Coordinates of all heavy atoms in Angstrom, one line a residue:
V1 N 144.7 132.2 116.4 CA 143.8 133.2 116.3 C 142.8 133.0 115.1 O 141.6 133.1 115.2 CB 144.4 134.6 116.1 CG1 143.3 135.6 115.8 CG2 145.3 134.9 117.3
Q2 N 143.3 132.4 114.0 CA 142.6 132.1 112.9 C 143.3 131.2 112.0 O 144.5 131.2 111.9 CB 142.2 133.4 112.0 CG 141.3 133.3 111.0 CD 140.7 134.6 110.5 OE1 141.0 135.6 111.0 NE2 140.0 134.7 109.4
Q3 N 142.6 130.3 111.3 CA 143.1 129.5 110.3 C 143.2 130.1 108.9 O 142.4 131.0 108.6 CB 142.3 128.2 110.2 CG 142.4 127.3 111.4 CD 141.7 125.9 111.0 OE1 140.7 125.9 110.4 NE2 142.3 124.9 111.6
I4 N 144.2 129.8 108.1 CA 144.4 130.4 106.8 C 143.1 130.0 105.9 O 142.7 130.9 105.1 CB 145.7 129.9 106.1 CG1 146.9 130.3 106.9 CG2 145.8 130.5 104.7 CD1 147.1 131.8 107.2
A5 N 142.6 128.9 106.1 CA 141.5 128.5 105.3 C 140.3 129.3 105.5 O 139.3 129.4 104.7 CB 141.0 127.0 105.6
D6 N 140.2 130.1 106.6 CA 139.1 130.9 106.9 C 139.2 132.4 106.4 O 138.2 133.1 106.5 CB 138.9 131.0 108.5 CG 138.5 129.6 109.0 OD1 137.8 128.9 108.2 OD2 138.8 129.3 110.2
Y7 N 140.4 132.7 105.9 CA 140.6 134.1 105.5 C 139.9 134.1 104.0 O 140.1 133.2 103.2 CB 142.0 134.4 105.3 CG 142.8 134.9 106.5 CD1 143.3 133.9 107.3 CD2 142.8 136.2 106.9 CE1 144.0 134.3 108.5 CE2 143.4 136.6 108.0 CZ 144.0 135.7 108.9 OH 144.6 136.2 110.0
P8 N 139.2 135.2 103.7 CA 138.5 135.3 102.4 C 139.4 135.3 101.1 O 139.1 134.9 100.1 CB 137.7 136.5 102.5 CG 138.4 137.3 103.6 CD 139.0 136.3 104.6
N9 N 140.7 135.8 101.4 CA 141.6 136.0 100.2 C 142.8 135.1 100.4 O 143.4 134.6 99.4 CB 142.0 137.4 100.1 CG 140.7 138.3 99.8 OD1 140.0 138.1 98.8 ND2 140.5 139.2 100.7
L10 N 143.4 135.0 101.7 CA 144.6 134.2 101.8 C 144.3 132.7 101.6 O 145.1 132.0 101.0 CB 145.2 134.4 103.2 CG 145.9 135.6 103.5 CD1 146.2 135.7 105.0 CD2 147.3 135.7 102.7
G11 N 143.1 132.3 101.9 CA 142.8 130.9 101.6 C 142.8 130.5 100.2 O 143.5 129.6 99.8
P12 N 142.0 131.2 99.3 CA 142.0 131.0 98.0 C 143.4 131.3 97.3 O 143.8 130.6 96.3 CB 141.0 132.0 97.4 CG 140.0 132.2 98.5 CD 140.9 132.2 99.8
Y13 N 144.1 132.3 97.8 CA 145.5 132.5 97.3 C 146.4 131.3 97.5 O 147.2 130.9 96.7 CB 146.1 133.8 98.1 CG 147.5 134.0 97.8 CD1 148.1 134.7 96.7 CD2 148.4 133.7 98.9 CE1 149.4 135.0 96.6 CE2 149.8 133.9 98.8 CZ 150.2 134.6 97.6 OH 151.6 134.8 97.6
L14 N 146.3 130.8 98.7 CA 147.1 129.5 99.0 C 146.7 128.4 98.0 O 147.7 127.8 97.5 CB 146.8 129.0 100.4 CG 147.3 127.7 100.9 CD1 148.8 127.6 100.7 CD2 146.9 127.4 102.3
R15 N 145.6 128.2 97.8 CA 145.1 127.2 96.8 C 145.6 127.5 95.4 O 146.1 126.6 94.6 CB 143.6 126.9 96.8 CG 143.1 126.5 98.2 CD 141.7 125.9 98.0 NE 140.7 126.7 97.3 CZ 139.9 127.7 97.8 NH1 140.1 127.9 99.1 NH2 139.1 128.3 97.0
D16 N 145.6 128.8 95.1 CA 146.0 129.3 93.7 C 147.5 128.9 93.5 O 147.9 128.4 92.4 CB 145.7 130.8 93.6 CG 145.9 131.3 92.1 OD1 145.9 130.5 91.2 OD2 146.0 132.5 91.9
I17 N 148.3 129.3 94.5 CA 149.7 129.0 94.3 C 149.9 127.5 94.4 O 150.8 127.0 93.6 CB 150.5 129.6 95.5 CG1 150.2 131.1 95.6 CG2 152.0 129.4 95.4 CD1 150.6 131.9 94.3
Y18 N 149.3 126.7 95.2 CA 149.5 125.3 95.3 C 149.1 124.6 93.9 O 149.7 123.7 93.4 CB 148.5 124.7 96.4 CG 148.6 123.2 96.4 CD1 149.4 122.5 97.3 CD2 147.6 122.4 95.9 CE1 149.5 121.2 97.4 CE2 147.7 121.0 95.9 CZ 148.5 120.4 96.8 OH 148.6 119.1 96.9
Q19 N 148.1 125.2 93.2 CA 147.7 124.7 92.0 C 148.5 125.1 90.7 O 148.3 124.7 89.6 CB 146.2 124.9 91.7 CG 145.3 124.2 92.7 CD 143.9 124.8 92.7 OE1 143.4 125.4 91.7 NE2 143.1 124.7 93.8
H20 N 149.4 126.1 91.0 CA 150.3 126.5 89.9 C 151.2 125.4 89.5 O 151.7 124.5 90.3 CB 151.2 127.7 90.5 CG 152.1 128.4 89.5 ND1 151.7 129.5 88.9 CD2 153.3 128.1 88.9 CE1 152.6 129.8 88.0 NE2 153.6 129.0 88.1
P21 N 151.4 125.2 88.2 CA 152.1 124.0 87.6 C 153.4 123.7 88.3 O 154.3 124.6 88.4 CB 152.2 124.3 86.2 CG 151.1 125.2 85.9 CD 150.9 126.1 87.0
G22 N 153.6 122.5 88.9 CA 154.9 122.2 89.6 C 154.8 122.4 91.0 O 155.7 121.6 91.8
V23 N 154.0 123.2 91.6 CA 154.1 123.4 93.0 C 153.6 122.3 93.9 O 154.2 121.9 94.9 CB 153.4 124.8 93.4 CG1 153.3 125.1 94.8 CG2 154.1 125.9 92.7
A24 N 152.5 121.8 93.6 CA 151.8 120.7 94.4 C 152.8 119.6 94.7 O 152.8 118.9 95.8 CB 150.5 120.2 93.7
D25 N 153.6 119.2 93.6 CA 154.5 118.1 93.8 C 155.6 118.3 94.8 O 156.3 117.4 95.3 CB 155.2 117.7 92.5 CG 154.1 117.1 91.5 OD1 153.1 116.6 91.9 OD2 154.3 117.2 90.3

């Protein structure tokens, strides 16, 4: 129905958590 990247808040939230120290690895 929709990609997460297209949500105005879920998309940035996903990137925010990914960029939290240690998570990306």
Side-chain angles (χ1 to χ4, degrees):
V1 174
Q2 190 169 346
Q3 291 187 320
I4 298 302
D6 296 331
Y7 279 92
N9 301 298
L10 280 174
Y13 167 82
L14 167 57
R15 299 199 308 274
D16 191 18
I17 305 300
Y18 180 86
Q19 294 166 25
H20 189 93
V23 173
D25 289 340

